[in-house]
Amino acid sequence: MKMLKRTYSLVLTVIMMLVSLTVKSQTVEPPFLKYTNHPWVDSVFNSLSIKERVAQLIWVAAYSNKDLEYEAELGNLIKTTGIGGLIFFQDDPVKQSEMINYFNKISKVPLMIGMDGEWGAGMRLAGVPKFPYQMTLGALNNDSLIYEMGAAVAQQFKRTGMHINLAPVVDINNNRKNTVINYRSFGEDPEKVSRKGALYMNGMQDNGILAVAKHFPGHGDTETDSHVDMPVIRHSSSRLDSVELVPFRRLISEGVAGVMPGHLNIPSLDSTPGLPTTLSSPILTGLLRDKLQFSGIAISDAMNMGALTRYYKPGEAEALSLIAGMDVLEYVTDPELTINIIVEKIKKGEVSEEAINLKCRKVLAAKYWAGLDKVKEIKTKGLKEDLSNAKTNALIRDLYAGSLTLLNNESEFIPLKFTPGLKIAVIAVNKTATTTFQKRIKKYYQCDLFNINSEDTASVNPVLRKMKNYNLIIAGVYGLDQRPSAGFGIKPGMISFIDRIAGQNSIVAWYGNPYGVDKIPSLQKTGGLVLAYQENEFTEDLSAQLIFGAIGAAGKLPVTINEKWPAGCGIETPGKIRLQYGYPENAGVSSALLEKKIDSLIQAGLDAKAFPGCEVMVARKGISIFHKAYGYQTYENRLTVNEDDLYDIASVTKVSSTIPAMMILDGRNQFSPDKTLGDYLPGFKKSNKGDIPMREFLAHQAGLTAWIPFWEKTVKKNGGFRHRVFSPGMTKKYPLEVADGIFINKNYKKKILKEIKKSPIGEKKYLYSDLMFILAPDIIENITGRKLDEFVTNEVYHKLGAFDITYNPYKKHSLTRIVPTEYDSAFRKQLLHGTVHDEGAAMLGGVSGHAGLFVTANDLMKLMELYRRMGEYGGEQLIDSAVLKEYTSVQFPGNNNRRGLGFDKPLLNNSEVPAKNAYPSKSATPSSFGHSGYTGAFVWVDPEYEISYIFLCNRVYPTRNNNLLSQMNIRTDVLEAVYGAVVE
C-alpha cells in the first residue's frame, strides 16, 4: 500500500511538472525582456550608481496644465534624483510634448513616459478623441475592433512621445456597487474580459507601446475605493483562481509587459492582517512570479492612494513593496526621501542589491525596446491634427456602433417602419438645446422636437400634455452618471417622467451606465430600449441610426442588470436598410484624398464665380461619408448655404419623379416601355407620336424636338403679357402660380399639349428632349387616377422618409431655406425664388415630369440610395429590381445612344477616350447612371463602386449665361475625385 502511494505520488509529481513545463512553453515573454543584457542596457546600467539604479524604479506624476514654477520643480527633481519615468495626467498634448522634449534633454537616462489611458490618450489630454469605456467595449461582438483600438491608442501614445500605457483594466466587475472599477471593466464574464483585454494589450504592444494589466489579482468585487481606503476581498483562493485571475493568466501567457497590483487586502492569499497586495511577498512573488510565471515589470498602483497613505509613512511602503516583489513604484509623493530610504535599507541588507540591479535592468531593457536608446524630439507641428484624425474617429464610430445594445424590442418595433400617419415626438430629457440625437432623427423622418428638465414640473407637464398628439415618442435620457456612488445620476423627476411615457409606443435611448437601468422599473415596459452606455456625439448619432435600421443592434450586455436582462442578453436587428452616416474611412475611402480634392475643386469654382454656393454629398457602401455646403445662396453673401437648403434640380426631376413613378407602375404591370404613347394618351393616338414606343421616348431616341419655348407666345413685343393668359392674383380661373404675383389661366395647359402634339418628329437618333416628360404627369394620372406629385410623394418620397423632395416649396418652406435661381428678365421679370426656374414647368403650375422638383441633398440621397440598392430601402422593395436594372441600362447602343430609360449613362466608349473627354468621368463604370440639371444639379450612382453622389448649385444665378460650371468640369471632376479617394 505504501509503495502504491509512493508510485501515485511520483506519477502525480511528474504530471504536475509536465503541466508546469507546458504552461511555461506556452507563455510568451514580455517583448522587452530579451534586451536585459543588451550592450546599450549594459552601458547605461554600468554608468549608474546604486542610488541612480534605485531612482530608475521611481516614476512620478506629471501634469501639463500647471505653471512654470511647477515645471522648474519637476525638472530639478529629474536632474537631482535621476528618476526613471513620468506618468502624465493632464491636460494639453502640445504642452506635454514640449515638457517631454525638455525633460529628456536634462535627464541623464532617457525617461520612460507613460499615462493611465484606459480609453486612449484622450482620457487625459484635451482635444484628443476618446475611445469607449471598457464596459462599453464589453458589449462588442466584433472583438477584432478592440485590437484595432489598441493599435490606434499606440499611435496616439507614440505621437505624443509616450512609451507605456497603464491599461487595460482586466478586473472582473461582478459587484454593481463597485465605485472604482465598474464602467472601467469589460464586464463580469472572465473569458470575455480575458479575450478583450488580450486583444487590447496585443494591439498596443504589436505597435510599440507597453501594456499593463491591472489591478492584480482583481479589484472587481469590492465596494471600497482604494483611492480612499483599503478594500478587503474575502474570496477563497479557488474562487479567485477561477474568476479574478483568469484574465491575468491569459495576458501573462501572451506576453503582457506589465502587471499593476491593486492596493487590496486579500486574506486567502496573504493572512497578514491589513497587508495590501502591494506589499505582499506571497502575492507578488509567490503567486504572480512563481505560480503565474510573470517575468515582466510589476508596476505599483499610485503610491499616494489612501489604501497605503492611511497606514504607512512615505518611503516605508515603497521599500516594503520592492522587497515584496514590485519592480516600479508609480506616483511616489516624495521621490528623494524614498530613494534615500531604499538605499539605506540596501546598505543594511534589508533590501537586496542584486534584486534592485535586476529590476533596473528590466526597466532599461523596456526603455531600449521603446526606442529610448535614440531619443527623438517630438514634433509639435500638426500634433493635434494628427491625434484627431478621421481614421481614429471612424474606428471609434465602429466601436460604439457595435456596442449599442437593444434591450427591448416589442413586436420588432425597431427598425422603425414608416406607416401612414406616423407622428413622432423626440424628447431630449435634461437638455436645453437640440441634441445630436434629435438632429439625426430629423434626417430620417419629419418629427417634432422637445426638451425638458425632468426635475422641473413646469418644463415637463406642458410637454406631456402634447404627447397625446403623437403615436410614437422617442426619448433620449441625458445627464446620467457612471458612478454608483452618485446613484447613476437618476433623480425622482426622471423616474416619474419615464413612468408616464413608457409604453408600447415609446422608445428610450439610455446614455448611461447599464446598472442604472434597474433603478427605473418602467423602462421594462417601453416598446424599444437602446442601451448606449455613454453620452457623447457618437452614441447619440448611432442610437438614432439604430432606431431607423441604418445600423443593426449587435451588442450584448457585459453585466447583469436584473432577472429580465442578464449578462449576455441583447436583441439583434438588421442594419443597412437605410442610409448610414459616418466617416469616409468607414466606407473604405480616404478622408485626406477626398476632402482636399473636393475642397480645392469647389474653391476654384467659387473663385471663378461659376456659382455663388453649392452643396456636395457623397455616400459609399450605404454610408454618407461627405456632406458639405460651400459659399452663399447669392453673390451678395448674405445667407450662407446650409445642408438643409432646398435647390431647384431642373431636369434631375426626370429621374427623381417621372422615372420612379413609371418604374413602380412597370413593376405592377400597369406600365410598359414597349407600349406606345397612344396607348397611354388617347388624345395622341392619331398624332405623329401615337405609335412610337415609350422606350424610344424615355431613351431620347424618338426624334422629338429638343424643347419648345412655350412662354414666348404669352409675351408681347413690348414685354407685357398677352390678354387672358396671366393674372396678378390667384382666382378660380387663374389658380396656378407661375412666379410671385403671376398666375396662369387653368386652360393654358391645353395649348402646351397641343404644341407638343403638332411638333415634328425627326430622325430616330439620340436627341435629348423634354417633351415626353412634360406629358408624363398625364400618363401617370391616367393610369393611377392620382396626380404625379401626389403619387411619387406617397409611393416613394414619404416611404423613404424624404419630406424635403417637393414641388412648389414656397407653399411649405421658408424662403430662407430655398436657394434663388435666375433673375428672369425676359419672361417673369423677377428673381425666381421658391418657384421653378424652368418656364414650361412654371406654366404648368410648378409640377411637371421634366422639371419642378426642389430637394435637400440629404433627401435626394435617399432616392439615389434606393436606386443603388436596386429598389430596396427601409426594408421594403419599392421598385422591382429587374425593372430598375432595365431602366438603368443602355437601350440603343447600336445608334450610339448611351441613354437608359430616363437615366443618363457614361459614354459608350468611356474607357477608350482621353480622361478629359470622358463622361461623366474616366472611372465611371458601364453600370453607373445618373442625370444633370440645367440649374447646376448633378446626380450619379455607381453600383460597382457602391457610390452615390449629389452636386447641387444655382449656377444660373443671376443669369443662365454663366456656363463656367460646365466649362470647368467641376461636377464631373468632383465625381472623379470620389473615385480617386477609394482605397478599398
Side-chain angles (χ1 to χ4, degrees):
M1 182 62 73
K2 288 182 179 180
M3 181 65 70
L4 202 59
K5 286 183 178 180
R6 286 175 189 161
T7 304
Y8 175 79
S9 178
L10 183 60
V11 169
L12 189 61
T13 302
V14 170
I15 290 173
M16 292 300 293
M17 289 175 64
L18 288 172
V19 168
S20 177
L21 288 170
T22 302
V23 170
K24 285 185 177 181
S25 67
Q26 290 176 343
T27 299
V28 177
E29 280 193 340
F32 65 87
L33 206 61
K34 60 185 175 182
Y35 299 115
T36 51
N37 293 305
H38 187 276
W40 182 84
V41 172
D42 288 341
S43 173
V44 175
F45 178 81
N46 291 330
S47 71
L48 301 177
S49 66
I50 187 62
K51 187 174 184 179
E52 290 171 326
R53 293 172 189 173
V54 171
Q56 283 299 300
L57 313 182
I58 308 295
W59 297 357
V60 304
Y63 298 85
S64 56
N65 62 342
K66 296 192 176 182
D67 57 20
L68 289 174
E69 183 179 353
Y70 167 79
E71 291 180 40
E73 289 176 356
L74 184 54
N76 184 60
L77 179 70
I78 291 167
K79 285 191 287 186
T80 57
T81 65
I83 55 172
L86 301 173
I87 303 298
F88 272 89
F89 282 82
Q90 69 236 19
D91 172 59
D92 180 75
V94 173
K95 181 70 176 299
Q96 175 177 304
S97 298
E98 291 171 345
M99 290 173 69
I100 292 170
N101 285 336
Y102 170 68
F103 292 149
N104 267 327
K105 287 178 182 177
I106 63 174
S107 179
K108 178 178 178 179
V109 180
L111 294 161
M112 178 70 81
I113 307 295
M115 180 179 282
D116 191 354
E118 294 163 18
W119 43 94
M123 179 175 171
R124 304 291 180 183
L125 296 177
V128 179
K130 296 176 175 64
F131 288 92
Y133 297 152
Q134 289 187 198
M135 179 74 80
T136 308
L137 298 174
L140 191 68
N141 268 344
N142 182 8
D143 284 345
S144 64
L145 290 174
I146 297 177
Y147 178 89
E148 292 183 36
M149 170 182 152
V153 170
Q155 290 168 4
Q156 289 182 338
F157 271 57
K158 293 185 81 170
R159 183 63 182 87
T160 49
M162 296 188 286
H163 318 106
I164 187 167
N165 188 7
L166 306 183
V169 172
V170 291
D171 300 307
I172 312 297
N173 201 83
N174 36 28
N175 187 329
R176 68 178 55 230
K177 296 181 180 180
N178 192 317
T179 59
V180 64
I181 302 302
N182 206 288
Y183 63 91
R184 296 164 62 196
S185 164
F186 286 115
E188 67 181 49
D189 185 311
E191 294 303 325
K192 289 182 179 179
V193 172
S194 301
R195 182 176 68 252
K196 292 171 188 285
L199 285 164
Y200 188 6
M201 177 268 288
N202 283 312
M204 286 190 286
Q205 293 193 169
D206 289 350
N207 290 276
I209 293 297
L210 298 168
V212 178
K214 62 186 187 183
H215 305 81
F216 183 81
H219 202 330
D221 197 0
T222 176
E223 298 173 25
T224 304
D225 185 348
S226 54
H227 292 87
V228 180
D229 204 348
M230 180 96 67
V232 179
I233 296 177
R234 302 191 182 279
H235 293 307
S236 67
S237 58
S238 61
R239 149 62 196 256
L240 293 168
D241 189 66
S242 63
V243 178
E244 277 78 8
L245 288 176
V246 172
F248 292 101
R249 190 179 293 113
R250 168 78 176 264
L251 268 67
I252 289 168
S253 73
E254 294 191 25
V256 68
V259 168
M260 177 181 286
H263 301 316
L264 312 166
N265 177 246
I266 309 176
S268 65
L269 299 181
D270 189 329
S271 58
T272 308
L275 189 70
T277 294
T278 318
L279 312 182
S280 169
S281 179
I283 299 176
L284 294 185
T285 300
L287 177 59
L288 181 60
R289 298 292 187 194
D290 299 340
K291 185 176 180 181
L292 298 182
Q293 302 296 311
F294 176 63
S295 55
I297 297 175
I299 303 175
S300 76
D301 205 347
M303 298 299 288
N304 70 331
M305 290 168 66
L308 290 180
T309 57
R310 290 187 64 174
Y311 306 100
Y312 298 91
K313 295 178 181 178
E316 290 295 331
E318 286 83 352
L320 292 172
S321 183
L322 290 178
I323 294 170
M326 201 73 73
D327 293 312
V328 168
L329 304 169
E330 179 236 341
Y331 210 143
V332 174
T333 53
D334 192 336
E336 189 169 4
L337 173 64
T338 297
I339 293 168
N340 289 335
I341 288 175
I342 293 169
V343 169
E344 187 63 30
K345 287 183 179 294
I346 292 171
K347 292 177 181 177
K348 293 179 179 179
E350 297 174 18
V351 174
S352 165
E353 183 174 351
E354 183 181 355
I356 294 296
N357 289 342
L358 178 59
K359 296 174 193 294
C360 179
R361 279 188 172 277
K362 280 202 285 189
V363 169
L364 294 175
K367 290 185 175 184
Y368 179 80
W369 180 87
L372 284 172
D373 57 318
K374 297 174 183 176
V375 178
K376 295 178 182 178
E377 184 175 278
I378 307 160
K379 303 297 181 185
T380 56
K381 183 178 180 180
L383 175 59
K384 289 186 177 180
E385 292 76 11
D386 291 345
L387 292 172
S388 184
N389 59 67
K391 186 177 180 182
T392 296
N393 286 326
L395 174 58
I396 292 172
R397 176 194 179 273
D398 284 345
L399 289 163
Y400 278 120
S403 298
L404 295 178
T405 306
L406 187 58
L407 296 179
N408 278 359
N409 195 22
E410 296 300 320
S411 304
E412 297 184 347
F413 202 19
I414 295 173
L416 278 182
K417 300 169 183 65
F418 294 164
T419 54
L422 178 62
K423 287 195 68 178
I424 302 176
V426 186
I427 306 172
V429 180
N430 297 327
K431 285 287 185 180
T432 56
T434 302
T435 66
T436 300
F437 180 61
Q438 292 174 307
K439 290 176 183 176
R440 182 59 75 211
I441 287 176
K442 283 186 76 71
K443 293 289 187 182
Y444 286 106
Y445 199 85
Q446 66 176 5
C447 56
D448 294 324
L449 308 181
F450 301 90
N451 296 70
I452 65 160
N453 174 355
S454 64
E455 307 311 302
D456 178 10
T457 55
S459 168
V460 172
N461 289 338
V463 171
L464 285 172
R465 284 193 291 270
K466 292 177 181 177
M467 289 305 101
K468 65 179 181 293
N469 300 319
Y470 299 90
N471 46 30
L472 175 59
I473 301 168
I474 302 176
V477 183
Y478 298 86
L480 296 164
D481 198 299
Q482 294 291 334
R483 300 166 300 169
S485 58
F488 302 109
I490 298 167
K491 297 179 181 177
M494 183 186 295
I495 297 172
S496 174
F497 175 77
I498 292 175
D499 286 347
R500 295 177 71 179
I501 66 163
Q504 295 306 299
N505 67 331
S506 67
I507 296 173
V508 172
W510 182 264
Y511 300 115
N513 194 306
Y515 289 125
V517 171
D518 195 39
K519 299 283 186 179
I520 308 180
S522 59
L523 285 170
Q524 298 188 34
K525 298 187 294 185
T526 57
L529 177 57
V530 180
L531 175 58
Y533 297 93
Q534 297 176 237
E535 180 188 318
N536 54 52
E537 288 199 357
F538 288 103
T539 56
E540 287 190 65
D541 191 349
L542 290 163
S543 55
Q545 294 191 48
L546 184 150
I547 289 169
F548 288 88
I551 63 172
K556 302 295 181 183
L557 260 181
V559 293
T560 294
I561 293 176
N562 52 34
E563 287 186 6
K564 179 177 181 179
W565 295 313
C569 82
I571 301 164
E572 295 184 17
T573 60
K576 300 182 181 179
I577 71 168
R578 293 191 176 98
L579 182 67
Q580 292 185 48
Y581 298 85
Y583 296 88
E585 281 72 12
N586 293 122
V589 176
S590 164
S591 292
L593 293 174
L594 184 70
E595 294 173 8
K596 184 177 180 181
K597 185 64 175 176
I598 292 178
D599 285 351
S600 175
L601 289 166
I602 301 304
Q603 190 59 52
L606 291 170
D607 292 343
K609 295 198 171 180
F611 42 77
C614 73
E615 195 170 343
V616 178
M617 189 170 184
V618 180
R620 182 161 191 254
K621 296 186 176 183
I623 307 171
S624 173
I625 57 172
F626 185 94
H627 190 184
K628 196 168 182 180
Y630 299 83
Y632 294 83
Q633 289 189 5
T634 67
Y635 291 115
E636 288 72 25
N637 294 358
R638 290 177 181 170
L639 286 175
T640 57
V641 176
N642 292 308
E643 290 181 4
D644 62 350
D645 285 350
L646 290 101
Y647 282 84
D648 181 337
I649 58 173
S651 286
V652 177
T653 298
K654 295 178 175 70
V655 298
S656 302
S657 179
T658 299
I659 294 302
M662 287 182 170
M663 287 192 291
I664 287 172
L665 295 174
D666 195 340
R668 296 174 182 174
N669 296 318
Q670 293 178 273
F671 174 82
S672 170
D674 294 317
K675 286 190 175 183
T676 66
L677 180 62
D679 290 328
Y680 296 110
L681 293 179
F684 278 75
K685 199 169 188 67
K686 295 180 180 180
S687 72
N688 59 357
K689 305 169 186 65
D691 294 331
I692 298 176
M694 293 300 299
R695 187 179 299 276
E696 294 183 12
F697 287 117
L698 294 174
H700 302 280
Q701 183 70 28
L704 286 176
T705 301
W707 68 293
I708 300 173
F710 304 108
W711 67 273
E712 289 183 354
K713 292 186 178 181
T714 69
V715 179
K716 300 176 183 178
K717 288 184 179 180
N718 64 5
F721 292 129
R722 293 191 182 277
H723 186 55
R724 295 179 181 174
V725 179
F726 299 105
S727 167
M730 179 187 289
T731 67
K732 193 172 182 179
K733 187 176 180 180
Y734 298 91
L736 303 176
E737 188 166 359
V738 174
D740 188 28
I742 305 173
F743 296 83
I744 194 167
N745 190 306
K746 64 181 179 180
N747 295 318
Y748 199 83
K749 178 182 176 182
K750 295 176 183 178
K751 292 188 178 184
I752 292 174
L753 298 180
K754 186 176 180 179
E755 285 199 58
I756 295 174
K757 186 175 181 179
K758 70 180 184 180
S759 65
I761 291 291
E763 182 184 351
K764 293 293 184 74
K765 64 178 183 179
Y766 171 46
L767 179 64
Y768 184 84
S769 173
D770 283 342
L771 300 189
M772 195 288 302
F773 288 90
I774 294 174
L775 303 176
D778 287 347
I779 295 174
I780 305 301
E781 188 171 356
N782 285 347
I783 296 172
T784 67
R786 291 189 279 175
K787 300 287 187 183
L788 171 64
D789 55 341
E790 178 195 343
F791 183 82
V792 291
T793 296
N794 293 324
E795 297 292 335
V796 183
Y797 308 149
H798 286 182
K799 289 185 178 181
L800 298 175
F803 292 85
D804 284 333
I805 301 181
T806 184
Y807 289 96
N808 292 322
Y810 67 89
K811 293 182 178 180
K812 59 180 181 179
H813 293 294
S814 164
L815 287 180
T816 58
R817 283 190 60 196
I818 305 171
V819 179
T821 52
E822 181 182 17
Y823 182 84
D824 182 359
S825 59
F827 172 32
R828 288 157 284 189
K829 308 291 194 304
Q830 61 181 264
L831 176 65
L832 303 175
H833 191 186
T835 54
V836 63
H837 173 270
D838 183 272
E839 298 92 343
M843 295 173 72
L844 293 166
V847 179
S848 180
H850 76 293
L853 273 187
F854 286 70
V855 305
T856 59
N858 185 70
D859 275 1
L860 186 59
M861 181 59 78
K862 296 171 186 176
L863 183 63
M864 294 304 111
E865 274 294 297
L866 171 71
Y867 295 159
R868 187 192 67 79
R869 301 168 190 225
M870 287 292 113
E872 185 178 2
Y873 195 85
E876 186 177 357
Q877 192 74 40
L878 300 179
I879 300 173
D880 184 272
S881 60
V883 170
L884 209 155
K885 188 172 183 180
E886 180 185 5
Y887 278 61
T888 57
S889 299
V890 175
Q891 300 297 306
F892 298 99
N895 286 356
N896 197 32
N897 182 345
R898 70 176 188 262
R899 292 276 174 166
L901 295 178
F903 290 98
D904 199 0
K905 296 283 292 178
L907 293 178
L908 296 176
N909 61 342
N910 207 42
S911 62
E912 301 167 10
V913 300
K916 64 179 181 179
N917 298 329
Y919 179 84
S921 72
K922 189 67 177 177
S923 299
T925 66
S927 66
S928 66
F929 54 90
H931 213 284
S932 60
Y934 189 79
T935 51
F938 183 80
V939 297
W940 204 261
V941 174
D942 194 326
E944 287 187 45
Y945 275 89
E946 301 179 88
I947 289 170
S948 299
Y949 162 59
I950 292 171
F951 182 98
L952 301 175
C953 81
N954 55 334
R955 69 98 192 164
V956 294
Y957 180 88
T959 171
R960 69 182 64 190
N961 296 324
N962 181 0
N963 294 311
L964 285 171
L965 178 67
S966 296
Q967 292 169 9
M968 296 174 70
N969 294 320
I970 292 170
R971 297 176 295 184
T972 52
D973 283 351
V974 170
L975 174 60
E976 184 61 24
V978 175
Y979 284 110
V982 174
V983 293
E984 65 179 47

